[in-house]
Amino acid sequence: MSEIIAAQDLVRWRQWAKTQAIATDISVEEVDWFLQGLTTVDRLSLRLGIREAVQSQVSLVELSRLWERRCQEKIPVQYLVGKTPWRNFELVVSPAVLIPRPETEYLIDLAQASHHDLHAGYWVDLGTGSGAIALGLADSFPDGKIHAVDQSAAALEVARKNAIAYGLQDRIQFYQGSWWEPLQHLRGKVAGMVSNPPYIPAALLPDLQPEVYRHEPHSALDGGIDGLADLRILVNEAPDYLISGGIWIIEMMRGQGEAVAQLLADNGHYTQIQIIHDFAGGDRYVSAQRI
Ligand SMILES: C[S@@+](CC[C@H](N)C(=O)[O-])C[C@H]1O[C@@H](n2cnc3c(N)ncnc32)[C@H](O)[C@@H]1O
């Protein structure tokens, strides 16, 4: 925090930013997230009125420049402030990684619900991005051995930073490569696989919000023609790596549940195949157990 911004300047700035937000169809609440991300202003002052000067990572001019980019270029606030809350973490994010979503937090609850005998084993997070799932697993399973894979070197750099920030760098091993490929040494040893792979059918990508389509990495979104290209690999290769009774958990797009469950059933190595719904009632997760 290097700059001091006077209270009355910030009050005026906030009003200007809200007007910009309304004019460009952005939720005015984002103005406050943005301010909390880059300055020391707290939620209480934002509710009751800003009466004291705040410290800021950037000047008022730079705040305005960044906010204009939010409104005009539709850059997500999380990329502008460089961080996002996720479970009990505050994770560093950059345009090299997908911004971890609240619905993905539930994958960790599903992993925690597995048999406790599995919790001290090897757990893998395939397509780790910011490292969110790997950190969640390391935090949940103090005796677990966590291995996280991504094909993107830039994403792994962000994931490593997040692991270091929470002192989990010795608990998580990171690998660059494609899905199971860097984990040959874990064949037949893995207690649980957790993944939020790309699952959006390629033709639907341009229909996503501009924040997502224009700024989040397409390699994190594009699931091929039917959205299931990567999920098929996860279904077909996991049996070589999971122990008997090992757990397979993924997030997917609503409406893909039946197709994913069918892939698992056709594979023949899985039991306890379950389609799990999110809080809004959509099918968003599938779990299964290695026979
Ligand atoms: C939907 S994002 C999920 C990121 C993070 N796990 C999360 O939940 O926020 C999918 C991730 O899979 C990675 N990915 C895509 N293809 C891959 C592949 N062939 N092998 C490994 N990772 C891959 C992308 O780089 C991206 O980080």
Side-chain angles (χ1 to χ4, degrees):
M1 298 282 170
S2 52
E3 308 269 339
I4 304 283
I5 300 178
Q8 70 270 27
D9 290 342
L10 198 62
V11 169
R12 243 180 280 132
W13 186 90
R14 189 179 179 214
Q15 199 44 52
W16 167 81
K18 285 186 178 176
T19 314
Q20 295 285 309
I22 291 163
T24 51
D25 215 12
I26 284 170
S27 159
V28 290
E29 281 178 23
E30 287 199 23
V31 173
D32 290 351
W33 303 344
F34 178 77
L35 282 179
Q36 288 178 91
L38 290 173
T39 74
T40 54
V41 76
D42 58 30
R43 211 184 291 177
L44 197 64
S45 324
L46 289 168
R47 267 187 53 195
L48 302 181
I50 303 165
R51 299 192 205 296
E52 285 175 10
V54 298
Q55 287 188 307
S56 171
Q57 288 175 29
V58 296
S59 66
L60 206 56
V61 171
E62 181 64 4
L63 273 187
S64 304
R65 197 188 67 80
L66 290 173
W67 188 251
E68 274 173 351
R69 295 195 73 192
R70 169 72 195 102
C71 296
Q72 304 305 326
E73 298 172 39
K74 306 292 183 215
I75 300 177
V77 164
Q78 294 93 329
Y79 288 153
L80 292 172
V81 304
K83 59 191 172 189
T84 193
W86 194 83
R87 285 185 74 94
N88 47 330
F89 304 108
E90 185 168 85
L91 298 174
V92 169
V93 292
S94 81
V97 300
L98 186 98
I99 298 162
R101 306 293 204 268
E103 57 269 30
T104 305
E105 297 184 2
Y106 193 54
L107 288 176
I108 305 299
D109 297 282
L110 292 174
Q112 285 173 340
S114 64
H115 197 282
H116 67 265
D117 283 355
L118 298 174
H119 297 181
Y122 292 100
W123 283 80
V124 302
D125 167 15
L126 300 186
T128 193
S130 62
I133 295 171
L135 266 74
L137 291 171
D139 189 44
S140 305
F141 303 146
D143 299 319
K145 295 168 269 293
I146 318 300
H147 295 254
V149 175
D150 207 288
Q151 67 179 4
S152 157
L156 286 168
E157 228 172 89
V158 173
R160 277 199 194 92
K161 251 188 222 167
N162 281 318
I164 290 168
Y166 286 93
L168 294 171
Q169 68 275 19
D170 297 333
R171 301 273 331 282
I172 307 171
Q173 291 202 38
F174 292 101
Y175 305 80
Q176 188 181 3
S178 187
W179 303 128
W180 290 98
E181 175 262 324
L183 302 178
Q184 300 299 320
H185 56 297
L186 295 184
R187 277 178 182 267
K189 294 186 182 169
V190 174
M193 180 211 87
V194 185
S195 182
N196 174 22
Y199 50 64
I200 299 173
L204 297 185
L205 291 182
D207 299 340
L208 297 172
Q209 288 177 307
E211 281 80 353
V212 181
Y213 181 63
R214 287 198 221 154
H215 300 290
E216 297 205 77
H218 284 199
S219 53
L221 303 168
D222 187 344
I225 291 175
D226 62 357
L228 300 174
D230 295 301
L231 282 158
R232 274 192 197 90
I233 297 174
L234 299 181
V235 168
N236 291 331
E237 295 190 3
D240 290 341
Y241 294 84
L242 290 172
I243 56 174
S244 174
I247 198 102
W248 187 98
I249 306 170
I250 57 94
E251 179 179 323
M252 66 197 167
M253 194 170 89
R254 279 187 191 175
Q256 291 176 333
E258 289 298 336
V260 174
Q262 193 60 52
L263 289 172
L264 288 160
D266 291 346
N267 178 276
H269 288 100
Y270 297 94
T271 178
Q272 306 286 332
I273 300 167
Q274 286 184 50
I275 299 170
I276 298 152
H277 292 79
D278 60 20
F279 296 115
D283 51 339
R284 284 305 297 270
Y285 318 95
V286 173
S287 74
Q289 218 177 61
R290 171 78 168 95
I291 290 172

